[in-house]
Amino acid sequence: MDMIPLFHNKHIVLGVCGGIAAYKTADLASKLTQAGALVDCILTESATKFIGPVTFAAVTGRAALTDADLWRTDAHVPHVQLGESADLTIIAPATANTLAKLAHGQADNMLSVVALAARCPIILVPAMDGGMWSNAATQANVETLRQRGFNVCGPAMGRMASGLVGAGRMEEPADILGFARVVLGKRSAFSGQKIVVTAGGTHEAIDPVRFIGNRSSGKQGFAIAQAAIDRGADVTLIVGASALPTPFGVTRINVESAQQMCEAVLAASREADALVMAAAVADFQAASQADQKIKKTKDTVDLEVKLVRTPDILQAVKEQREKTSGPRVTIGFAAETQNLLANATSKLHSKGLDLIIANDVSASDAGFAVDTNRVTLLDAGGGVEPLPIMSKAQVAEHVLNRLAALLK
Ligand code: PMT
């Protein structure tokens, strides 16, 4: 997993309670560490029946604490230090017993003491078998904790250790990480800002079976949406064709054609603070779509399809901005195979953009489908900022840094 700027050097307390899902928490500890966080794990007594502190120390490179550490005499009240220094606390799995302790302010072990001392956001990831989750006592405790501002992630539906199927499975580590990005990001620069992002390619139907498409995977747009979530934004992601998983916390709208994307973008961006058009929108569509699959006969030699222009979405947004307030900032992309800067500059001005991200899509390590991109940022004031080859996630960080300045 790549380093995630949001997690870099963040102190995260990861509490582990006594449930079979504790073995999955080791994977979560590893993911958080790879993302750049400093993870301090605390195991309850019952958690150590399922997994040892050595496992967590190995994946985090930091000491993993147990109740024995609560009575250490060689450290100054470690639980207060941990509570004070934490940027985020995650308790996964959070058992019914620990939820009850937290709801009633009980503090009789290292984890509950640290949780009581913590001043950072706390994420609870419940996991319990059978009917324990639906038990009135558990539900009342969870509701009490929600009302106090605790963030509850899950539980998921599925098969549990007892063989029962129902609500009680711990969410998967990747989803807990996504949830944590939303919680941690909420305190960042874009908190309260509404950002619309488009990604992926459009499909322009020729008949019920065939369409004209392009090679866009959606990676660059999804990376921008994820980076915006990390900065606390309210993100709407309008997606053409893409198989990528939706970043946690994003509102996803799926469309097919340029026409549908145009309608969705205009509706979503009217009250938005920013629009980032990373989607590969077709410039042409079939003049007419056949109602039935176009059949070839033994004499068929060729097939002519008349193409006409699709709506120019950024042009429509420019006209909308002139009549309404939104979006305050528009950022476009330019996918070129020649005359990169000239073509990008022309689009920057003709579409009334605040910034355009120019990428040479003929390069094998940039543009469509690859994980890297080589872009030049051109702004309306004439600034030109060429960036070296980097991951699309890093490009997204640069784009959002520029967006932050434009939104000021
Ligand atoms: O999705 P990936 O596989 O990660 O690939 C990333 C990408 C190459 C698709 C991305 O970096 C990119 O360049 N996206 C823009 C592709 C594109 O349509 O560029 P364009 O130069 O044809 O269009 C210029 C701008 O106008 C773009 O912001 C585009 O979204 C927008 N547009 C295009 C056509 C249209 N009818 N309406 C539009 O608003």
Side-chain angles (χ1 to χ4, degrees), residues 143 246 280:
E143 187 50 34
T246 307

Side-chain angles (χ1 to χ4, degrees), residues 320-341:
Q320 172 176 276
R321 283 177 93 190
E322 285 156 3
K323 294 182 204 124
T324 68
S325 61
R328 284 201 289 142
V329 173
T330 50
I331 297 176
F333 273 72
E336 308 295 341
T337 56
Q338 59 182 347
N339 308 321
L340 179 66
L341 298 186

